[in-house]
């Protein structure tokens, strides 16, 4: 059973021929075992996640600025 997946600290690879981006990840199992894998995304998914991550970064920045006041 999988408990969670973490992103590896590597660059995202983009295959222009397949028009897919691949992100290295590590799959963590509940028994403590891990295994490397890839998160493969089509262009639409890459754009959607770029927008969502941008929104999350903006919310984090706003929360940090509010905490400083």
């Amino acid at each position: 059973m999988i408990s969670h997946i973490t992103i590896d600290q590597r660059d995202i690879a983009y295959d222009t021929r397949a028009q897919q981006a691949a992100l290295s990840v590590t799959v963590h199992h509940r028994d403590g075992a891990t295994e490397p894998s890839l998160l493969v995304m089509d262009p639409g998914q890459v754009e959607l996640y770029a927008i969502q991550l941008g929104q999350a970064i903006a919310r984090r920045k706003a929360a940090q600025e509010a905490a400083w006041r």
Side-chain angles (χ1 to χ4, degrees), residues 32-61:
T34 61
E35 61 183 309
S37 190
L38 288 175
L39 172 62
V40 178
M41 300 170 280
D42 64 39
Q45 291 170 317
V46 171
E47 289 181 25
L48 174 64
Y49 298 136
I51 292 166
Q52 291 176 341
L53 287 169
Q55 291 170 343
I57 291 167
R59 286 193 298 269
R60 178 177 181 251
K61 183 178 178 182

Side-chain angles (χ1 to χ4, degrees), residues 13-21 40-43:
Y14 188 77
D15 183 339
T16 54
R17 200 169 126 216
Q19 294 188 355
Q20 295 177 332
V40 178
M41 300 170 280
D42 64 39

